[in-house]
Amino acid sequence: MARSSYGSEHQRRRRALEPAAYGTACALCGGPMLRGQSLDLDHPVPLAEDPAGRGERMVHSTCNRSSGGALGNRRRRLSPSRAW
């Protein structure tokens, strides 16, 4: 297993939320999260997207990572190519 760059608190929250996430819908793709699938604790989300107000949600690992990649690509496209 790869080493996580997230701290112990993040890992503790992920382990606590994972069992209840199985059988529910992924917040990013809407597909069911099934046992045996890799799940991630998503980054904090705006209150409007998380009615519970905790800013925490479990999502498929693949959905989370592709979402992060898309965000990074958008940021790179919008940043200036050099400092003036």
Side-chain angles (χ1 to χ4, degrees):
M1 185 161 107
R3 290 187 72 192
S4 173
S5 61
Y6 294 101
S8 61
E9 179 61 21
H10 178 90
Q11 293 299 312
R12 185 187 66 73
R13 291 296 306 148
R14 184 191 162 284
R15 282 191 305 272
L17 294 172
E18 187 174 31
Y22 290 119
T24 64
C26 172
L28 297 176
C29 74
M33 294 186 285
L34 306 172
R35 292 206 183 277
Q37 292 179 324
S38 180
L39 304 181
D40 284 349
L41 175 59
D42 197 11
H43 297 79
V45 295
L47 185 58
E49 292 180 35
D50 181 22
R54 300 221 39 176
E56 298 174 323
R57 60 188 184 184
M58 296 297 291
V59 295
H60 292 118
S61 295
T62 53
C63 295
N64 189 39
R65 292 165 194 178
S66 66
S67 173
L71 176 61
N73 290 335
R74 280 194 304 275
R75 286 182 176 168
R76 276 190 289 286
R77 278 196 306 272
L78 295 174
S79 67
S81 59
R82 59 183 152 169
W84 292 94

